[in-house]
Amino acid sequence: MTKATVGEALVAGLKARGVTCVFGIPGVHTVELYRGLAASGIRHVTPRHEQGAGFMADGYARVSGQPGVAFVITGPGLTNTLTPMAQARADSVPMLVVSGVNASPTLGKGHGHLHELPDQHTLAKTVALVSEHVSQPEHLEAALDRAFAPFTAGRPGPAHIQIPLDVAGTAAQDGPACPAPAQPPLDPDQITQAAARLSAAAKVVILAGGGARTADAELQALAERLDAPVVQTVNARGLMHGHPLTVPASPSLQAVRGLIEDADCVLALGTELGPTDYDMYATGSAAAMAGLIRVDICPQQLARRQAALAIQGRTSEAIPALLAALPGTSNQGQGARRAEQARAAAFEEIGPDYRAQVEVLNAMRAAVPKALFAGDSTQPIYAGNLYYDHDRPGGWFNAATGYGALGYGIPAAIGAAIAAPGTPVICIAGDGGAQFSLPEIMAAADENLPVTFVIWNNRGYGEIATSMEAVDVKVVGCDPTPPDFAATARSFGIPFTRVPMEPQAVAEALRAASRSGAPSIVEIEITGPVPGQE
């Protein structure tokens, strides 16, 4: 019997670790990585650009909870994927990028081989949590173990494995495994201390980050026990939808800062307290947080901000532990009233233009309940990140915070649709950002995915133009001509609808699109003067 090659062993190792889908563009430097793929049962989806592969893997991971995997070529394949890897690192998204690399004897020589980089491995290590170079066939298994370790213990993020051309096609060899590190257990004394502080406080506020998005029911029970308003960062939206204690608004808003600063104890769950959530207006400081108790899986994150009590652990485990340690009776106070006041003031604070855009988002949510909303950096996404209450935990995500990569929405929506078969997915992208990744819609057509691509067409980079005008900078470079989206949809072979920015018209278009269960484009045409072009 012919012994498996390293490439075949790689595919088998991925399958053994639960991988069911790979996003990739094959090339001459990855042919051997594909040798065992067709027979493995692992689904392969072909994007149109390696950046699309990475963003698809990101969207897949956010929805499935499993690492998204991308196969890319040496050199430009990897460099094209570094942007998605950086976005995944900023948002703690598990992603594995597998690349080729030039033959071992040529590395670092600068002879000008195809796709050659001075030091690809070192480049990847600047972004990946783990980057493994498989220099010998017997090193593969340990490399896989180390690459997957961040997905099960600690804060997740991107990992990378590269396999040289002269190794990928050789016979696989057994080698030592690398045992996965164990997640340290919660400290029971810290849980007891936290419960005592929380039960003694009169006005608790909970800050829920992306680390809490899988603990919806537990978070609600904790909030009710503490009578505590729950402020959600962007990556936590969808938690406690419609609940009287929920505050689905940015902690950068003055109304929400006031709520936080009025608390006598703040409980931060799975949030890095980063400026794109807590100081997006770049004031230089976030809200003061009295008696701050932090729960986070990452010890480095806990060390970056002083807290009264820092608890290392998973939020999904810490919340039940806190509930068990708290008194059995609920705190009785004004939590719902405090939350309602903060919501009303925050909605007023965002201003009429953003309020109108939030009303469109609300209409979209009502038209397609429980849909997944994947967004790019565009005006309605900025509006929603400031104030929007989604109806599905983990169902609102975008790249307009953290690393802030443009072009994210379209491929991320495709990955999300593959992760949740049959679930309607709505992608919201501006006409400018859509042009970063527009060809990826063809992958949605190939796979016949139920994604409605909503294009917010304000004929340029409207948000940037507005920002330039606000500081008296003459607007330059913000008016790239958009394509004819109707013609683009025809070229993809998918339906197209154009509607005005009216909630009812948008809702009707989305209802019709979602009924088809297939990809389509809905263009929202923004009329009126364009910033910088009046």
Side-chain angles (χ1 to χ4, degrees):
M1 183 175 181
T2 304
K3 192 170 181 62
T5 65
V6 169
E8 290 172 310
L10 167 73
V11 172
L14 294 175
K15 185 171 183 178
R17 289 164 174 81
V19 173
T20 60
C21 183
V22 166
F23 304 93
I25 302 176
V28 293
H29 283 196
T30 55
V31 168
E32 286 298 334
L33 305 186
Y34 277 78
R35 183 175 293 278
L37 196 60
S40 70
I42 294 176
R43 182 178 184 177
H44 184 273
V45 175
T46 306
R48 274 32 181 190
H49 189 279
E50 289 94 355
Q51 181 170 278
F55 285 145
M56 287 180 193
D58 178 300
Y60 178 91
R62 293 193 198 225
V63 172
S64 71
Q66 302 300 313
V69 180
F71 274 17
V72 300
I73 64 164
T74 307
L78 179 68
T79 56
N80 285 338
T81 316
L82 287 174
T83 293
M85 291 170 68
Q87 185 72 50
R89 181 159 184 158
D91 287 347
S92 303
V93 176
M95 175 193 296
L96 174 62
V97 174
V98 180
S99 75
V101 71
N102 289 103
S104 302
T106 73
L107 297 180
K109 301 292 179 59
H111 290 162
H113 289 274
L114 180 66
H115 302 328
E116 184 177 34
L117 282 167
D119 190 342
Q120 180 174 292
H121 189 207
T122 296
L123 179 63
K125 285 194 289 187
T126 63
V127 177
L129 296 177
V130 174
S131 180
E132 293 291 324
H133 176 78
V134 181
S135 60
Q136 301 293 332
E138 61 269 23
H139 295 168
L140 175 65
E141 189 66 20
L144 281 165
D145 287 342
R146 286 191 291 268
F148 273 77
F151 308 151
T152 56
R155 185 184 186 192
H160 167 246
I161 296 174
Q162 66 177 24
I163 303 178
L165 289 173
D166 57 315
V167 175
T170 60
Q173 302 291 331
D174 293 335
C178 182
Q183 181 67 33
L186 292 166
D187 184 331
D189 290 338
Q190 288 188 319
I191 294 294
T192 300
Q193 291 178 50
R197 289 172 179 266
L198 291 166
S199 60
K203 291 198 283 189
V204 177
V205 166
I206 296 173
L207 307 178
R213 65 182 177 269
T214 61
D216 185 48
E218 297 87 348
L219 178 63
Q220 179 174 322
L222 180 63
E224 290 171 350
R225 182 80 64 86
L226 297 172
D227 192 38
V230 179
V231 177
Q232 300 151 16
T233 67
V234 170
N235 285 330
R237 296 296 174 82
L239 292 170
M240 294 176 58
H241 171 65
H243 193 281
L245 290 170
T246 198
V247 183
S250 170
S252 291
L253 294 169
Q254 289 301 320
V256 183
R257 285 188 173 209
L259 173 71
I260 296 168
E261 292 184 340
D262 188 51
D264 56 0
C265 187
V266 175
L267 174 61
L269 299 171
T271 171
E272 68 178 1
L273 302 175
T276 56
D277 273 307
Y278 291 85
D279 187 29
M280 65 171 291
Y281 296 111
T283 66
S285 64
M289 301 177 187
L292 176 62
I293 301 170
R294 290 193 69 184
V295 178
D296 200 282
I297 198 170
C298 177
Q300 289 81 15
Q301 278 295 336
L302 291 173
R304 287 178 185 138
R305 175 161 181 153
Q306 188 173 2
L309 187 59
I311 302 172
Q312 184 185 352
R314 298 183 187 281
T315 298
S316 58
E317 296 172 0
I319 295 178
L322 286 171
L323 281 167
L326 286 166
T329 56
S330 300
N331 288 0
Q332 298 299 318
Q334 300 294 318
R337 181 184 61 81
R338 290 158 57 213
E340 182 181 15
Q341 290 176 341
R343 288 195 301 269
F347 192 61
E348 181 66 23
E349 184 181 335
I350 66 175
D353 290 344
Y354 275 160
R355 287 198 295 271
Q357 292 165 30
V358 171
E359 292 300 343
V360 171
L361 294 174
N362 290 339
M364 294 168 69
R365 181 192 62 214
V368 191
K370 306 296 184 183
L372 296 164
F373 280 38
D376 217 323
S377 294
T378 189
Q379 287 178 326
I381 293 298
Y382 295 136
N385 285 351
L386 284 174
Y387 190 104
Y388 172 67
D389 188 13
H390 198 56
D391 63 351
R392 177 187 182 124
W396 171 269
F397 56 93
N398 55 77
T401 62
Y403 193 61
L406 202 55
Y408 170 87
I410 289 172
I414 292 169
I418 290 170
T423 300
V425 178
I426 296 172
C427 169
I428 303 174
D431 61 292
Q435 293 181 72
F436 278 52
S437 53
L438 194 60
E440 302 301 349
I441 294 178
M442 200 66 233
D446 285 348
E447 302 291 331
N448 195 33
L449 299 173
V451 183
T452 302
F453 298 96
V454 178
I455 307 298
W456 184 269
N457 191 353
N458 58 13
R459 304 183 304 286
Y461 302 134
E463 190 70 17
I464 304 304
T466 299
S467 298
M468 294 174 79
E469 287 183 335
V471 293
D472 198 27
V473 172
K474 184 171 178 57
V475 176
V476 175
C478 293
D479 56 351
T481 302
D484 182 336
F485 287 105
T488 301
R490 283 195 300 274
S491 74
F492 292 149
I494 63 177
F496 172 83
T497 306
R498 180 182 291 116
V499 295
M501 196 196 99
E502 298 172 0
Q504 176 141 358
V506 174
E508 288 174 358
L510 285 187
R511 272 192 290 267
S514 67
R515 280 195 294 267
S516 73
S520 62
I521 294 177
V522 172
E523 178 185 354
I524 300 178
E525 189 171 34
I526 311 303
T527 57
V530 177
Q533 300 179 37
E534 295 90 339

